[in-house]
Amino acid sequence: MPPLEFEHATAAEIEALPRESSLFIFTVGAFEDHGPHLPVAMKVIEARSLATRTAEFIEREMPSWR
């Protein structure tokens, strides 16, 4: 199951998560010029990808966590 994405979750979905086994990962990344070959939000894209892979790893290795 893919991780629950906070910005797409409803308040009811978040409230229903078990408090003792839920982890929120908030990403932060800079918007900066990387030249004409990369998007301005490259750091944000990288941070989101890393957070998603981390969440997938946690859910796979610790199935009771979300």
Side-chain angles (χ1 to χ4, degrees):
M1 173 187 332
L4 177 66
E5 293 182 350
F6 188 76
E7 70 265 22
H8 296 123
T10 65
E13 288 173 318
I14 294 169
E15 186 65 32
L17 292 171
R19 294 177 188 265
E20 63 280 349
S21 60
S22 295
L23 174 69
F24 289 89
I25 303 171
F26 294 95
T27 59
V28 177
F31 284 86
E32 59 187 358
D33 187 13
H34 293 284
H37 61 291
L38 292 173
V40 175
M42 192 65 212
K43 300 290 187 197
V44 175
I45 295 166
E46 289 174 339
R48 183 180 189 98
S49 174
L50 180 60
T52 299
R53 288 183 291 158
T54 301
E56 289 169 347
F57 174 81
I58 290 169
E59 287 189 343
R60 184 175 59 251
E61 298 298 318
M62 302 166 62
S64 64
W65 279 75
R66 179 76 200 252

